[in-house]
């Protein structure tokens, strides 16, 4: 069967979709980008904000016409929204064939084949631990230089605004041996950069404990160390770690291992203590800045990115200014700003969503403006220096140039040289800065 997969939301969803595509291909099905040629359309959905759900529901609603043209077409919703809404989605969308939640994603190929046979309408939102192991085996990532490996699933933290613990279940960690095997397999197929994924990667191997690990102990650090030993692997990235899990051991591993990228995504959410408290985040703004300082002390070149929510219930102008000031002090290289969106069933949704939309918009705008100004200054400051990038292939906008990324996450465009291969490490001299990218020329090369 020809299967079309559309993915919404985070990198974990992208990774799941890639793994499912691999499983379907192994069964003899074909993945297609064409909506009209598809025999099955799968929508891998996100629930983290209301807008993400609405977008997916809108698109799926629109697919009714495809089914009128092609009655045997199977349409399914999988992922977080499927988990959250289950049966109700079948009622809302009469042309939908099945709903498959996050807990049993690995059963998708079986489910598709059985529905093709008996045309039963199915809603499956149960849990199974196999979702961790059942999706590792046979898949090939979309990009030939980089791949993503899920090391944990679910989340135990229950930040008061967040739907993730409800739709992705309790936190579980995959066996290190499994992860290492998957990484070695990928590297043997030419992968040079691995991105480790999890809702809280730094809690890896702690058995779901909410307390940060004791000094000197970090199973996540141990895993990073073992991954870094793989020959042929150039770079390791990870996202996202909860801030308080950076202890001396983890910082030491990162500082000692140049393969681990100098770029950390450290979700802040708010820079105001009363707001952090209501969000059920287990740190103060001062503690957050201490963690950044501890990382910078060992690695002054470290780049930081973050997530921030504006307009959380009760966020005052003063709270917002604290967030804005903290962001400027840290000098984030990148930031994802989200306008608060109440998610039914979460603790903060029980209260009133009392920051007006216009205020959310304005706070969002101010933070994005700060970020753009900072980015321009940072890129400009890099001009004239040398840096190493991992080559990702021809630039989409200017195919005569190649694109690469620095260990700190910056994009650099450069003229390629004969024999250059995707995944090579290339030394570049930076010549000028654009709005979001840099431009350079080749100064050296390692394949
Ligand atoms: N409203 C707005 N943003 C949210 N996030 C999570 N839940 C919500 C919500 N209800 C943001 C957080 C998180 C990122 C993935 O999405 O900043 O880090
Ligand atoms: Fe959501 Fe908080 Fe878990 Fe992140 S740590 S997934 S924000 S509950």
């Amino acid at each position: 069967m020809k299967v079309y997969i559309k993915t919404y939301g985070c990198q974990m969803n992208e990774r799941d979709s890639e793994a499912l595509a691999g499983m379907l291909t192994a069964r003899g099905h074909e993945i297609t980008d064409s909506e009209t040629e598809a025999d099955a359309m799968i929508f891998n959905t996100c629930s983290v904000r209301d807008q993400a759900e609405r977008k997916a529901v809108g698109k799926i609603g629109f697919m009714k016409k495809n089914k009128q043209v092609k009655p045997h077409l199977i349409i399914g919703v999988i992922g977080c929204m499927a988990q959250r809404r289950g049966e109700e989605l079948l009622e809302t969308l009469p042309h939908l064939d099945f709903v498959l939640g996050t807990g049993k994603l690995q059963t998708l190929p079986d489910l598709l084949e059985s529905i093709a046979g008996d045309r039963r309408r199915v809603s499956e939102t149960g849990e199974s631990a196999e979702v961790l192991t059942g999706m590792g085996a046979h898949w090939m990532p979309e990009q030939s230089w980089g791949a993503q490996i899920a090391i944990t699933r679910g989340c135990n933290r229950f930040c008061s605004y967040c739907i993730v613990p409800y739709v992705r279940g309790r936190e579980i960690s995959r066996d290190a041996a499994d992860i290492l095997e998957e990484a070695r397999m990928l590297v043997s197929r030419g992968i040079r950069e691995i991105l480790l994924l999890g809702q809280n990667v730094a809690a890896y191997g702690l058995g779901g404990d909410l307390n940060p690990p004791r000094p000197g102990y970090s199973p996540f650090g141990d895993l990073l160390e073992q991954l870094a030993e793989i020959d042929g692997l150039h770079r390791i990235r990870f996202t996202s770690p909860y801030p308080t899990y950076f202890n001396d051991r983890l910082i030491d591993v990162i500082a000692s291992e140049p393969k681990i990228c100098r770029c950390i995504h450290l979700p802040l959410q708010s820079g105001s203590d009363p707001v952090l408290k209501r969000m059920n985040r287990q740190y103060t703004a001062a503690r957050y800045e201490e963690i950044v300082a501890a990382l910078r002390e060992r690695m002054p070149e470290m780049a930081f990115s973050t997530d921030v929510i504006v307009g959380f219930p009760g966020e005052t102008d003063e709270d917002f200014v604290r967030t804005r000031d903290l962001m400027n002090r840290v000098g984030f290289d990148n930031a994802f700003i989200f306008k608060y969106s109440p998610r039914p069933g979460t603790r903060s949704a029980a209260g009133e969503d009392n920051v007006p939309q216009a205020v959310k918009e304005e706070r969002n705008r101010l933070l994005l403006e700060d970020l753009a100004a900072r980015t321009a200054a940072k890129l400009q400051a890099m001009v004239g220096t040398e840096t190493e990038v991992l080559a990702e292939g021809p630039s989409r906008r200017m195919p005569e140039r190649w694109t690469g990324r620095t260990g700190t996450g910056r994009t650099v465009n450069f003229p390629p040289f004969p024999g250059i291969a995707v995944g090579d490490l290339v030394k570049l001299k930076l010549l000028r800065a654009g709005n979001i990218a840099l431009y350079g020329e080749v100064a050296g090369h390692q394949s």
Side-chain angles (χ1 to χ4, degrees), residues 155-196:
C155 183
N156 284 359
R157 301 217 61 99
F158 288 91
C159 300
S160 63
Y161 50 80
C162 186
I163 195 75
V164 168
Y166 302 89
V167 291
R168 286 209 172 254
R170 293 293 61 71
E171 179 189 291
I172 31 177
S173 295
R174 248 175 102 183
D175 279 347
D178 250 22
I179 297 168
L180 289 164
E181 193 187 303
E182 187 172 337
R184 284 193 201 101
M185 180 274 287
L186 289 165
V187 173
S188 74
R189 294 189 191 174
I191 290 298
R192 297 288 167 258
E193 176 177 303
I194 283 177
L195 172 65
L196 303 175

Side-chain angles (χ1 to χ4, degrees), residues 48-49 161-162 269 307 309 338-341 343:
V48 85
R49 282 168 292 277
Y161 50 80
C162 186
Q269 313 300 0
D307 290 345
I309 297 176
F338 302 105
K339 286 167 269 183
Y340 173 71
S341 160
R343 309 309 297 129

Side-chain angles (χ1 to χ4, degrees), residues 326-337:
L326 189 153
M327 289 180 75
N328 287 328
R329 279 198 304 278
V330 171
F332 288 105
D333 287 78
N334 200 4
F336 299 91
I337 320 292

Side-chain angles (χ1 to χ4, degrees), residues 228-242:
E229 281 169 17
I230 300 176
D231 279 338
L233 179 61
H234 292 331
R235 283 186 175 170
I236 304 169
R237 299 179 186 274
F238 52 85
T239 193
S240 303
Y242 193 84

Side-chain angles (χ1 to χ4, degrees), residues 11 195 237-243 246 261-269 281 283 288 292 295-296 301-308 326-327 330-338 371 374-375 378 405 407-410:
Q11 282 156 314
L195 172 65
R237 299 179 186 274
F238 52 85
T239 193
S240 303
Y242 193 84
F246 281 93
C261 286
R262 295 321 191 217
C263 134
I264 292 187
H265 186 71
L266 204 57
L268 168 67
Q269 313 300 0
R281 300 289 287 183
Y283 52 85
Y288 183 97
V292 171
L295 282 156
R296 278 208 169 125
E301 72 281 28
M302 184 65 84
F304 289 92
S305 62
T306 198
D307 290 345
V308 166
L326 189 153
M327 289 180 75
V330 171
F332 288 105
D333 287 78
N334 200 4
F336 299 91
I337 320 292
F338 302 105
L371 180 69
R374 216 163 36 232
T375 301
K378 285 196 183 223
R405 259 203 309 158
T408 54
R410 293 286 181 208

